[in-house]
Amino acid sequence: MGGNPKIFLARSWGKDFASRIKREQFRVHSVFRCVCNLQSDPNKPLLSLVTEKEAMGPNSLLVDFDRFDNHIQIGIPVAFAASKLDCGSVMVNCSHTQDWRFHRTNYDFDVAELNKLLNWVENIIPGFISTKSQSTQRLIEGLINKDLSLLMNSLNEFIGRGDGLTPAGDDFVAGVLAAYVRGSREMSENHAFIESMQFLIKEKWPLTNAISQTMLWYASRGEGAGYITEMIDAIYSGSKSVLNLAHRLWQIGASSGRYLLAGIFWGCQIVLVGRK
């Protein structure tokens, strides 16, 4: 790819992207239509260039771009200097980039919207959420009882398992953990368990790929792409947008969205039942 690079504008970046891009050396890890992933140390989460606001998270840079896969090559080094991100044939101008802040609503922890979500999914695929496998039951019990041994065994049954670029088991676990942590992190008695769970997730990284590793790392901190965190916040805050957000999430990827949604349901269920 010769010639002058195409120049695009960045609109906003998450705190992790902003800090790490300035002090680490990255290469392009993977390229898709709406996402370009960058990797430095394989033991750290990926950073991501994204074209859609709903995909924004702490590790993302929102770029005014049509698609990445026609322009950026896997493996090329990425350089950041003078507020310019050099990706070979693409240059991203970050000089006017704003800090990304995700607006979190107040939670009232009402179960009404969660029940509506269950009914909506049941009408599409009966039993997809309501039918619990033994592995799902063990994962739920591990979180309810704060049993790290049970949690570790259940994670072995999910992580890296199933179809998809991010295996279905990873998507499900990410949904459960993101909802569980996001809904319970203000409870001081959960802090030590959540921290131990984060170390446990990191130990399981070798079971799956770098994209899933990044998703699980953020999920264990109650974070992730906007289409995950907005869904969770809508349920906990009793928002009337739950079904619209569920419809959007359901369509993410070939199957990732629906497994994320199933996991979010059970993560929220654990928190809501525990607050009764």
Side-chain angles (χ1 to χ4, degrees), residues 5-173:
K6 297 179 181 294
I7 300 176
F8 298 91
L9 294 176
R11 287 194 280 161
S12 60
W13 53 15
K15 58 182 176 59
D16 293 348
F17 191 103
S19 63
R20 292 182 59 199
I21 199 66
K22 299 172 184 176
R23 56 186 171 81
E24 298 177 35
Q25 298 298 313
F26 287 88
R27 287 185 175 272
V28 175
H29 171 272
S30 47
V31 184
F32 306 95
R33 185 176 68 85
C34 297
V35 179
C36 173
N37 293 311
L38 312 180
Q39 186 177 54
S40 59
D41 184 341
N43 291 312
K44 294 181 179 180
L46 302 173
L47 299 185
S48 299
L49 311 182
V50 301
T51 64
E52 299 176 356
K53 187 177 179 180
E54 66 184 29
M56 277 297 294
N59 63 324
S60 303
L61 175 72
L62 182 61
V63 182
D64 279 331
F65 201 16
D66 50 357
R67 57 189 302 159
F68 296 113
D69 53 355
N70 290 338
H71 302 283
I72 301 178
Q73 292 181 322
I74 293 174
I76 65 169
V78 175
F80 183 82
S83 297
K84 301 292 193 300
L85 186 64
D86 185 346
C87 301
S89 62
V90 168
M91 183 81 72
V92 182
N93 185 343
C94 301
S95 59
H96 299 291
T97 302
Q98 297 181 341
D99 291 337
W100 174 78
R101 294 281 191 275
F102 181 78
H103 176 68
R104 174 175 165 176
T105 56
N106 294 324
Y107 293 169
D108 61 12
F109 295 105
D110 193 294
V111 300
E113 297 305 317
L114 188 67
N115 291 333
K116 290 179 184 177
L117 173 63
L118 176 60
N119 292 334
W120 181 79
V121 175
E122 287 293 294
N123 284 331
I124 301 173
I125 305 179
F128 182 71
I129 285 181
S130 60
T131 302
K132 287 186 291 185
S133 67
Q134 291 184 348
S135 297
T136 298
Q137 186 61 44
R138 282 190 284 271
L139 176 62
I140 292 171
E141 290 178 2
L143 292 172
I144 290 174
N145 298 319
K146 299 180 176 57
D147 185 332
L148 287 173
S149 178
L150 183 58
L151 183 60
M152 179 178 65
N153 290 334
S154 66
L155 290 175
N156 288 334
E157 298 170 348
F158 282 107
I159 295 181
R161 306 289 184 90
D163 297 330
L165 174 66
T166 53
D170 297 359
D171 293 321
F172 180 74
V173 169

Side-chain angles (χ1 to χ4, degrees), residues 187-205:
M187 301 178 187
S188 58
E189 66 270 19
N190 287 340
H191 291 177
F193 173 70
I194 289 174
E195 185 173 331
S196 296
M197 182 182 69
Q198 291 166 355
F199 283 111
L200 187 58
I201 287 294
K202 188 64 184 294
E203 289 180 3
K204 300 300 178 184
W205 269 26

